[in-house]
Each structure stands twice: as structure tokens, then as C-alpha cells.
Amino acid sequence: MTGYQGGFSWKTLLGITNAKRQFARQTGIPTTKSGVERKVGRMVLDFLLGTKKRR
């Protein structure tokens, strides 16, 4: 069977996934490991290179 390969997720059923996504969007704080690493890495590079915020 090709196409959908996902499984059952309690987190999705209980709304935890959506709550985490909304929290991250409202606060600007990532809730995933890769998101935190990307944000911290960008902050360190901006500090070292003396670049301004993009916004």
C-alpha cells in the first residue's frame, strides 16, 4: 500500500500537537529540538558577526 504511512498518535488526538504549534507561533519560542538549535545557532552567529535582527 502506497501513500499514507502514518500511525495513530495520542498527542494528535488529545490536541497536544496543535497546542505546541500555537504556543510556538505566539511566543516565538520553538518547541522542537531542531527548532531550538536553529534559533540558538542564529543568535550566536548574529552576536559574533555583529549583524542586526532581520525584523
Side-chain angles (χ1 to χ4, degrees):
M1 181 192 269
T2 60
Y4 179 74
Q5 295 292 322
F8 181 76
S9 172
W10 284 104
K11 290 181 180 181
T12 302
L13 179 68
L14 296 175
I16 294 172
T17 303
N18 193 28
K20 286 174 65 175
R21 187 180 308 127
Q22 286 181 346
F23 173 80
R25 286 185 180 179
Q26 290 175 354
T27 62
I29 302 170
T31 56
T32 63
K33 182 179 176 183
S34 62
V36 171
E37 289 173 350
R38 187 173 61 241
K39 187 172 183 102
V40 170
R42 178 177 291 157
M43 289 170 49
V44 169
L45 284 176
D46 287 347
F47 176 76
L48 291 175
L49 300 176
T51 56
K52 295 181 181 180
K53 269 192 158 183
R54 295 179 180 182
R55 297 179 190 177

